[in-house]
Amino acid sequence: MNILKHRAWAMAAALICAAVAAAQPAVVRPAADASNLSEFVLRAIEAPYLSDAERAELRVWHGVWTDADLEIPTLRAKAALMAGVFDDAAFDHPDALPEDRAEAMLRRGDHELALESLAGRQSARARMLRAQTLAGLGRFEDADVAVDPVVTGLIRNQTRSADDLVAGVRSLSLRAELRGQPSRDYQAMMQLLARARDELDRGFWPAPLAEAELLYDKDNPGEALEAISSTLALNLASADAWRLRGLLMVGAFNFDASGKISDVLDDIAQRVTGSPTERSPFGAEIQARAWIRQKDPDMAEEAIAASLDRYPRMRSLLAVRCAIEAIRYDFAEVERLLEEFDQLSPGSPLALFEVGAALAEARQYEEAAEYLNRAVERQPRWPQPLIELGLLELQSGRDQEAAKALRVVATLDPFNKRAANSLELIEELLTYETVESEHFIVRFKPGIDRVMAEDMLVPLEEIHEIVSTGIDFEPTRKTVIELMPDHAWFAVRITGMPAIHTIAACTGPVIAMEVPKIGPRHTGEYDWVRVVRHEYVHTVTLERTKNRIPHWFTEAAAVYLEDSPRDYNTCLLLTNALRNGTLFDMRKINIAFVRPEKPTDRSQAYAQGHWMYEFMIERYGAPAPLELMDLYAEGVREDEAMQRVLGVPTREFFEKFTDWAHEQASSWGMLPEPSIASLLLEELQKTPEGRTAISAALSSFAADVGLVTSGVGGVPAMDLELPDPTPLMVNTWLTQHPEHPDLLERRAQFMIERAGGVITEELVKALEEYAAARPVDPAPHRILARHFLDEGQEDARSRAIGALEFLDAREQYQTAFAVALANLYAGKGLIDEARVKAERATRVAPFDPGHRELAAKLALVQKDYEEAERHLTALAALEPAQSIHERRLEALRQRMNRN
């Protein structure tokens, strides 16, 4: 019985005879771990009527072979092909199926040998492989002819087995590619694969695998992952399925997952060869692609070096090798490698596409466009380079070019989700209106968003002055600021897919931002001036460095030039990381931005990068970061650049930074010594009961770790339940440590509890002392501000100003502090200061009529009619039903004309 026939019979038996099978003596399960296999498959393998040979064939087919199974050359060849061991000796055995031998040759790049092995073979799979091989050799017309009989049989419904049907679908897909008709028959292909999976053979794992490949090609990762899971439930050892999952994880910046998948692929290959050092070429490819995304060409090259030595003609590895040289910016070497690739596969766009895609992600827009266009010239109707071109043009602000490329894709392949989302965005953007200043173009959706767009121009020019001075560089073209009307449109604008968690982002010459509004489709109000200043630093640093700046470094410069104090949560985050030894090293910090492992990782990456940038300037001088940027522009890697500018490698820089960071955190009052816990331990030792408790904790600790110890140490205190310090303890300790921030905080808390919420002058003094000892904590300032404002007396209200200024300087999302300050300053006759705060309120919440009203009134006090007109015009647009705004505007303009 051949494998296809007995597999089908086994699956049928598993369905109708489960009870009978369960009653039979237990069949030993395969040696490989089959716990994740479908129970349906396991029952089929264990069917009692199977012969030993048939059971062995099923074990191999479902990826759970035993060592004994591999002693049979035909089965070993199948396992090796499945596992990605394409040079296994079993393929040379005369009993190996010619199709298996040919596919292994094709996969490792020996196309001519594959054609020889297929000579005279007429199966659907053989015809499909012949066509794929011819296409790989650049013989596209011959490939089209070769695939025609399989496609014809499929169309005429002459396909009877799942094997032939999947070969037919793959042939149909190849023909669509060869003829530049990527969307043709897509839905029919998916339906045919569903028939193979659900009707012809439920255990035929190549059917869901082919589905996954089609879905991956259509940029539909969610459904592709589902199909991959279905494949692996039927075959744990499908290297193709694991490779596809690995590519998806790399695409999602999930490098931990992709690394684990690479290990799985190695394990599968090792199960064939028995060698613990066996490495999968697919695993190597995944690792290399992950390093490319992390912009580390050295690690990427190391990842694939051994596999390339072993498979020097394997097209996928050779294409990745070209991409590695591209992100080294060694374009002479890229051209040499492309020429070698062309000698193997003349006319293939694959390597050109890989180079262009890698450069596009590295924001080398001009070079990327060149290589992608060359790929398009070779295969004008292949959607992938056209999609990358469209997204590249979109991110670089060339909307007409983006629309042109994406419209072609929409015609070729309307099923591609990423392209469809991006084209919809482009068509939307082309309807937007613009306003311009010397250095900026603001684009916005017609309507109420004009209110904000027109207000942005003056602050934008102020931002330009600050940033261009700080980076000592001016962009060569105007920067486009795109006001996206809601979060969903913003997400599509940035990624091409509606899933991103931020409010603004820079792609180089374009900064996209969500309008700061409140509502179900919005993220909320925010300080857009601070946010855009951050993003504009990216625009400037990216151009100065030719987009070759490390991720953490451009973020660090951006936060630094926000020129705003750290908030308390950031100080806590950094201090905890410092205390716990979880600061990111120089590699992990870049990954944390795009693929955080913990909810706090991304925030820590921003904060730590800023901290390192401050350290660099303090220790090595203000020109140091700018000198590094110039080296990055030349393509110098980070470690070498730091050695040339700072005189230390990255590792030593990080060590010096960590030492400095301890000093910084101490100056914030965040690392007080001694700790309250150690003070409490000293207190406990003064009583017999305390000494007994400490001794018991020490004994328990020693037993847990298998040690014999005596005396008092700090570590066991973690397992000792310490009492809360009493007010008497705190006051006593303060006589010995009068500036200890934790003790000053505890004292203030005790005083607040004792006073029942009443704030006395004694408590005010205590809060001020705590604020001085821990100058980053907003808590005392909040209490003091509320107290002074509630008192209502002029002197008290004046005392509130300092606390409110502290809070407002750190506030990014609310306007309460700015409005309170505007009113306080106005009450004191400080109109200049009041207007600054009122203007800040209108920038955080530009669509709030109340803030516009306040800003207009203060402008009128100083007879600044132009500013008053600006805010009243905004009011009229925000509240068109309130006719009073138009009347006030008319009166103001009459006064302006008289003057």
Side-chain angles (χ1 to χ4, degrees), residues 479-700:
T479 300
V480 178
I481 310 291
E482 292 180 344
L483 281 180
M484 306 312 298
D486 56 42
H487 189 70
W489 274 116
F490 167 70
V492 175
R493 176 64 185 88
I494 296 304
T495 65
M497 297 292 280
I500 192 170
H501 306 287
T502 185
I503 50 179
C506 168
T507 62
V510 177
I511 296 171
M513 57 183 288
E514 180 184 344
V515 290
K517 290 181 181 177
I518 297 174
R521 293 175 57 84
H522 301 281
T523 304
E525 296 168 339
Y526 61 92
D527 184 351
W528 73 260
V529 173
R530 179 173 175 178
V531 168
V532 171
R533 187 187 302 156
H534 176 109
E535 300 302 332
Y536 189 56
V537 174
H538 293 323
T539 296
V540 178
T541 56
L542 287 171
E543 185 169 346
R544 174 168 179 155
T545 63
K546 300 180 181 177
N547 294 324
R548 297 171 183 177
I549 188 171
H551 194 155
W552 81 266
F553 200 60
T554 186
E555 295 295 354
V559 179
Y560 182 80
L561 283 172
E562 286 179 24
D563 196 26
S564 299
R566 279 185 188 86
D567 63 38
Y568 188 47
N569 287 335
T570 297
C571 294
L572 283 171
L573 182 65
L574 289 172
T575 303
N576 287 335
L578 186 64
R579 184 186 292 116
N580 299 329
T582 55
L583 288 173
F584 298 124
D585 62 28
M586 302 300 287
R587 184 184 69 83
K588 288 184 178 178
I589 191 170
N590 286 311
I591 300 172
F593 284 106
V594 293
R595 191 65 194 184
E597 296 178 9
K598 304 190 301 295
T600 57
D601 278 3
R602 185 178 283 113
S603 297
Q604 181 183 323
Y606 279 102
Q608 183 184 322
H610 174 209
W611 215 11
M612 292 194 295
Y613 198 89
E614 282 184 323
F615 164 69
M616 186 181 294
I617 288 176
E618 182 176 310
R619 180 64 58 88
Y620 301 100
L626 305 182
E627 292 172 12
L628 283 172
M629 290 180 195
D630 290 338
L631 290 179
Y632 296 144
E634 296 173 13
V636 177
R637 304 290 297 162
E638 184 173 55
D639 192 66
E640 181 185 346
M642 282 195 171
Q643 291 192 64
R644 287 165 62 174
V645 173
L646 310 181
V648 294
T650 52
R651 177 186 51 79
E652 189 174 340
F653 169 81
F654 181 74
E655 291 170 355
K656 291 179 181 293
F657 157 70
T658 304
D659 293 339
W660 174 86
H662 277 91
E663 299 173 7
Q664 281 276 301
S666 295
S667 73
W668 301 340
M670 300 299 288
L671 293 174
E673 291 292 342
S675 69
I676 288 181
S678 64
L679 291 170
L680 281 167
L681 275 173
E682 291 178 10
E683 203 69 29
L684 280 175
Q685 292 181 75
K686 296 177 182 178
T687 67
E689 296 84 357
R691 288 193 293 274
T692 300
I694 292 172
S695 178
L698 281 167
S699 299
S700 174

Side-chain angles (χ1 to χ4, degrees), residues 859-876:
L860 286 170
V861 169
Q862 291 190 325
K863 297 184 179 180
D864 188 344
Y865 297 140
E866 289 185 359
E867 280 297 287
E869 181 186 30
R870 178 169 67 86
H871 289 297
L872 287 174
T873 301
L875 267 173

Side-chain angles (χ1 to χ4, degrees), residues 17-77:
C17 300
V20 175
Q24 300 297 318
V27 177
V28 178
R29 290 196 172 187
D33 178 17
S35 60
N36 292 321
L37 265 183
S38 162
E39 192 64 29
F40 169 76
V41 171
L42 291 174
R43 288 200 304 269
I45 293 173
E46 295 168 0
Y49 62 83
L50 292 176
S51 68
D52 290 345
E54 290 168 346
R55 200 182 314 281
E57 287 188 46
L58 273 183
R59 282 196 296 262
V60 171
W61 178 251
H62 293 292
V64 287
W65 56 79
T66 65
D67 289 344
D69 297 336
L70 297 184
E71 293 176 6
I72 304 168
T74 53
L75 297 187
R76 183 181 179 92

Side-chain angles (χ1 to χ4, degrees), residues 712-790:
V712 177
V715 176
M718 292 188 295
D719 296 324
L720 178 65
E721 189 171 337
L722 295 173
D724 289 331
T726 65
L728 179 59
M729 289 178 181
V730 169
N731 288 328
T732 300
W733 294 335
L734 275 170
T735 62
Q736 304 164 27
H737 311 284
E739 297 181 353
H740 194 294
D742 283 350
L743 296 177
L744 291 169
E745 181 184 27
R746 291 292 183 108
R747 183 183 68 176
Q749 290 170 346
F750 287 140
M751 293 175 70
I752 291 172
E753 292 171 5
R754 187 170 64 244
V758 177
I759 308 297
T760 63
E761 276 302 315
E762 181 186 15
L763 179 52
V764 168
K765 181 181 178 183
L767 288 167
E768 289 174 341
E769 288 179 353
Y770 169 57
R774 183 168 285 154
V776 295
D777 189 351
H781 300 277
R782 290 181 183 276
I783 297 170
L784 290 171
R786 187 179 304 112
H787 164 64
F788 291 137
L789 288 174
D790 288 346

Side-chain angles (χ1 to χ4, degrees), residues 371-545:
Y371 285 102
L372 290 170
N373 276 312
R374 284 166 63 181
V376 172
E377 287 172 7
R378 291 194 171 185
Q379 202 162 327
R381 298 175 69 82
W382 183 28
Q384 292 307 320
L386 287 166
I387 292 171
E388 290 296 332
L389 264 176
L391 295 177
L392 176 155
E393 301 292 6
L394 179 61
Q395 307 300 11
S396 60
R398 297 189 288 260
D399 296 334
Q400 294 294 341
E401 292 85 347
K404 180 181 177 181
L406 290 171
R407 283 169 184 157
V408 172
V409 175
T411 302
L412 289 173
D413 192 0
F415 299 104
N416 189 285
K417 295 184 69 174
R418 185 167 59 138
N421 285 335
S422 298
L423 180 58
E424 184 181 3
L425 169 69
I426 282 289
E427 302 294 1
E428 169 82 2
L429 289 175
L430 292 176
T431 69
Y432 282 18
E433 298 174 356
T434 61
V435 292
E436 295 190 35
S437 64
E438 182 180 356
H439 297 99
F440 296 92
I441 300 170
V442 181
R443 182 156 57 180
F444 58 93
K445 188 178 181 66
I448 196 63
D449 290 353
R450 175 177 283 275
V451 170
M452 180 178 176
E454 292 180 338
D455 272 0
M456 293 179 74
L457 297 179
V458 171
L460 283 173
E461 290 301 324
E462 294 170 354
I463 288 170
H464 170 78
E465 182 62 27
I466 292 168
V467 174
S468 61
T469 300
I471 304 300
D472 193 24
F473 185 85
E474 289 202 10
T476 55
R477 56 187 277 197
K478 288 188 178 184
T479 300
V480 178
I481 310 291
E482 292 180 344
L483 281 180
M484 306 312 298
D486 56 42
H487 189 70
W489 274 116
F490 167 70
V492 175
R493 176 64 185 88
I494 296 304
T495 65
M497 297 292 280
I500 192 170
H501 306 287
T502 185
I503 50 179
C506 168
T507 62
V510 177
I511 296 171
M513 57 183 288
E514 180 184 344
V515 290
K517 290 181 181 177
I518 297 174
R521 293 175 57 84
H522 301 281
T523 304
E525 296 168 339
Y526 61 92
D527 184 351
W528 73 260
V529 173
R530 179 173 175 178
V531 168
V532 171
R533 187 187 302 156
H534 176 109
E535 300 302 332
Y536 189 56
V537 174
H538 293 323
T539 296
V540 178
T541 56
L542 287 171
E543 185 169 346
R544 174 168 179 155
T545 63

Side-chain angles (χ1 to χ4, degrees), residues 13-158:
L15 286 172
I16 64 177
C17 300
V20 175
Q24 300 297 318
V27 177
V28 178
R29 290 196 172 187
D33 178 17
S35 60
N36 292 321
L37 265 183
S38 162
E39 192 64 29
F40 169 76
V41 171
L42 291 174
R43 288 200 304 269
I45 293 173
E46 295 168 0
Y49 62 83
L50 292 176
S51 68
D52 290 345
E54 290 168 346
R55 200 182 314 281
E57 287 188 46
L58 273 183
R59 282 196 296 262
V60 171
W61 178 251
H62 293 292
V64 287
W65 56 79
T66 65
D67 289 344
D69 297 336
L70 297 184
E71 293 176 6
I72 304 168
T74 53
L75 297 187
R76 183 181 179 92
K78 290 188 180 300
L81 182 61
M82 187 186 302
V85 184
F86 301 126
D87 59 355
D88 194 87
F91 296 116
D92 296 328
H93 196 280
D95 290 345
L97 191 69
E99 283 84 348
D100 290 342
R101 183 184 301 115
E103 184 170 350
M105 293 169 172
L106 170 62
R107 303 296 287 276
R108 70 183 186 234
D110 292 327
H111 289 51
E112 294 83 357
L113 293 177
L115 288 177
E116 291 177 14
S117 182
L118 291 168
R121 306 294 293 185
Q122 300 301 319
S123 68
R125 181 184 171 204
R127 293 177 184 274
M128 174 199 71
L129 289 170
R130 186 177 294 110
Q132 291 176 341
T133 305
L134 290 167
L137 290 169
R139 295 166 57 182
F140 302 119
E141 292 183 4
D142 291 341
D144 196 4
V145 171
V147 86
D148 191 64
V150 188
V151 172
T152 300
L154 190 68
I155 293 172
R156 293 176 179 175
N157 200 25
Q158 296 173 343

